[in-house]
Amino acid sequence: MIGDIFRGCPTLINAAGPLTRLSGAPLAPGVLEAIRDADSVSVDMFELQAHASRAIAQATGAEAGVVTTGAAAGLLLATAACIARLDTGRMNALPNTDGPNEVIVARGQRNGYDHGCRAAGARFIEIGMSEGLAGAGIRDVEPWEYESAIGPRTTAILYVQSSRSHPPLAEVSAVARAHDIPLIVDAAAELPPGGNLKRFVAEGADLVAYSGGKVLGGPAGTGILCGRRDLIVSAAMQFLDMDIARNTWLPPADFIDSAQLRGLPRQGIGRGCKPGKNEIFGLLAALDHFVAEGDAARHARWRDTCRQISDSIRPCSSPEPMIEGLGTTDRVPLLTFRYPDSTTANEMRASLIAGQDSVHTRLDPFRPECLIFNPICLRPAEIPRLIAKLSACMPSPGDRTGS
Ligand SMILES: *Cc1c(COP(=O)(O)O)cnc(C)c1O
C-alpha cells in the first residue's frame, strides 16, 4: 500500500488528534490534487501570496493574509512585523532591536510556542496571575493590567486564544485599540467552529495565526497569518524571497504598495517560514473544503467514528465507553473511558502504544484518569485495527472477576 521509500518506517494509529509529533491530520479532500496541480506550473511567489491573500481575506474578513509554514511561523512573522513595521533597516537588523520590542502577555498564557515571538526579537512583559489555577485565589489577569503595562517600548500584545482564555479577547482588544498597540492572536488550534475564521478579526485582533495542519486539513507544515494590511506587508517582506532588483520587482499593487518602501530589505528573519507553492495551493484547497463542509457535517463525520468504536468495544469494556461533546455547539466529539485512577489510565495508554498497531490517545492534563480517543485523524481503514488493539489491551472478564 505504501511505497518503497517508506518500507521499514514504523507507522501508528493516531487517536490523539492533530498533533505535530504524530504527523498531523489527514489531508482534506482536494488537497493532494491541488499539490499535484501546483507542480504543473511556475509562478511568481509574490503573485501567489497575493492570490492567497485574497482568498484568506474572503474567508477571515481580514484585510490581507499570507500562507506560512505553521502557526508558530505566523507568531514569529507577526512579531517581526510589529517590531519592524515598514522600516527596512529594522527588518535587516532583527532579531536585534533598538526601537520598541516589548510584547505584553498574560502569565497564564505563556507557552512553548511563544518562542517564535522571542526569536523575532521580542522581550516579554508578563502580567497577571492565574490564581484560580494555583488554588491560591480567585482572579486571573484583568484588562487594567494590560493597560498599566503599556509604555514607550511596547510593540504588541500577544493573546493566546482558548476556551479558558481570560479576559475575553474583546476586552483586551479595547485596551489595544485605545493605545494603538497591535494585538497578535495565537488561534492555532481554534478551528472548528468555522465561525472562528472571522471571529478574532471581528473582535479586534490585528494579526491572527492559525495552523493549516490541524483541523483545516492542509499540509502539516502550513499555516495562515491574517490581519491588517500594513502588518501583513511587513511580514511578507520578511519571509518572501527578497533576492531581487528593485526595478524588476512588481508585486501586485492590491497586496503590496511598493511606493511605501524606501528600499528592499535583504532576506528576512522569517526566511525559514517560507512554504513552497505546492504547500500554498494545498492550504488554499484545505481552506475551501473546511468552509464548504461546515461544522454540522464535520461533527457528524467525527461522531460516526466515535460511535463505530464505542459500539464494537462496549460488550467487552469496563469501564463503559462514553461519547462526550455531542451537543450542537461542541467542537469535537471524544470517546472517553474513565478509570478509577490515573495509574490505570496511564497503563492503558502505554499498552495501546506498545507493539504492533501502536495506538496513540489523547492525554488531558485536567483529567489524567480518562483514556480519550479523538476521532479527527482516524482513517476508515484504521478503525478495525484500533478496535482490535483496544480489545486486546482491555483486561479480560476473567481478570476482572478474579480481582
Ligand atoms: C499547535 C499550536 C501552535 C503551533 O502551530 P503550528 O502550526 O504547528 O506551528 C501554536 N500555538 C498553539 C496554541 C497551538 O496549539
Side-chain angles (χ1 to χ4, degrees):
M1 193 171 58
I2 56 177
D4 271 351
I5 200 161
F6 290 108
R7 194 151 295 146
C9 177
T11 61
L12 54 82
I13 296 172
N14 177 6
L19 306 182
T20 293
R21 76 182 162 83
L22 300 178
S23 69
L27 297 175
V31 173
L32 264 183
E33 291 79 356
I35 289 173
R36 197 170 326 109
D37 288 351
D39 211 49
S40 61
V41 294
S42 294
V43 289
D44 177 287
M45 293 302 280
F46 277 93
E47 294 283 358
L48 179 53
Q49 287 281 8
H51 176 73
S53 178
R54 291 172 207 121
I56 293 167
Q58 166 111 37
T60 61
E63 290 173 4
V66 282
V67 180
T68 68
T69 46
L75 294 178
L76 187 153
L77 292 171
T79 310
C82 292
I83 294 175
R85 303 295 184 104
L86 294 175
D87 183 327
T88 46
R90 278 202 215 156
M91 290 180 192
N92 281 344
L94 290 182
N96 295 322
T97 53
D98 51 16
N101 68 345
E102 291 179 358
V103 172
I104 300 170
V105 61
R107 248 182 212 97
Q109 293 186 8
R110 287 295 317 275
N111 67 85
Y113 299 109
D114 65 35
H115 207 142
C117 303
R118 289 180 286 129
R123 197 168 87 78
F124 279 140
I125 303 296
E126 294 186 0
I127 57 169
M129 289 182 185
S130 300
E131 295 176 321
L133 276 183
I138 56 166
R139 294 195 293 164
D140 207 309
V141 64
E142 298 177 339
W144 67 265
E145 293 178 283
Y146 284 93
E147 192 142 40
S148 82
I150 293 174
R153 297 190 57 78
T154 306
T155 194
I157 293 173
L158 171 67
Y159 186 90
V160 182
Q161 176 67 40
S162 79
S163 58
R164 282 187 283 270
S165 302
H166 184 86
L169 178 62
E171 292 180 26
V172 178
S173 84
V175 174
R177 278 288 139 95
H179 294 267
D180 198 20
I181 301 293
L183 174 58
I184 301 170
V185 175
D186 177 352
E190 293 309 295
L191 303 174
N196 278 0
L197 276 172
K198 294 211 158 102
R199 180 177 147 203
F200 310 122
V201 168
E203 288 182 353
D206 295 287
L207 287 167
V208 186
Y210 296 98
S211 283
K214 290 179 177 165
V215 171
L216 265 184
T222 59
I224 291 172
L225 179 67
C226 63
R228 238 166 68 186
R229 176 168 305 284
D230 61 317
L231 295 170
I232 292 294
V233 169
S234 176
M237 304 288 292
Q238 298 187 73
F239 85 125
L240 298 184
D241 189 357
M242 299 311 298
D243 191 13
I244 187 166
R246 174 124 201 201
N247 66 328
T248 56
W249 185 58
L250 300 164
D254 69 330
F255 181 48
I256 294 180
D257 173 9
S258 59
Q260 294 172 290
L261 302 161
R262 75 174 152 188
L264 293 188
R266 296 214 159 68
Q267 305 295 15
I269 189 148
R271 170 70 183 203
C273 303
K274 69 164 194 170
K277 70 173 185 295
N278 307 69
E279 290 82 26
I280 296 174
F281 273 64
L283 184 278
L284 293 179
L287 182 58
D288 257 4
H289 181 268
F290 178 83
V291 172
E293 181 175 37
D295 292 335
R298 199 163 26 238
H299 194 274
R301 186 160 52 77
W302 293 334
R303 187 190 59 216
D304 290 348
T305 302
C306 291
R307 290 222 168 111
Q308 202 184 332
I309 303 168
S310 170
D311 291 349
S312 309
I313 209 76
R314 187 175 299 276
C316 70
S317 168
S318 166
E320 284 263 299
M322 298 174 291
I323 303 177
E324 48 190 49
L326 287 177
T328 48
T329 59
D330 285 318
R331 297 179 62 200
V332 181
L334 298 171
L335 175 65
T336 303
F337 299 79
R338 182 182 296 277
Y339 286 88
D341 52 62
S342 59
T343 311
T344 319
N346 280 332
E347 283 165 10
M348 275 301 286
R349 272 188 281 277
S351 46
L352 282 165
I353 289 174
Q356 272 307 115
D357 282 339
S358 175
V359 173
H360 291 249
T361 57
R362 204 186 128 188
L363 178 63
D364 181 343
F366 289 98
R367 36 184 200 152
E369 75 286 6
C370 289
L371 181 67
I372 303 170
F373 294 79
N374 179 317
I376 293 177
C377 299
L378 292 172
R379 296 160 182 86
E382 292 168 337
I383 294 173
R385 288 160 53 206
L386 180 150
I387 292 167
K389 177 78 178 232
L390 181 54
S391 349
C393 292
M394 295 263 172
S396 70
D399 293 349
R400 257 182 275 140
T401 50
S403 66

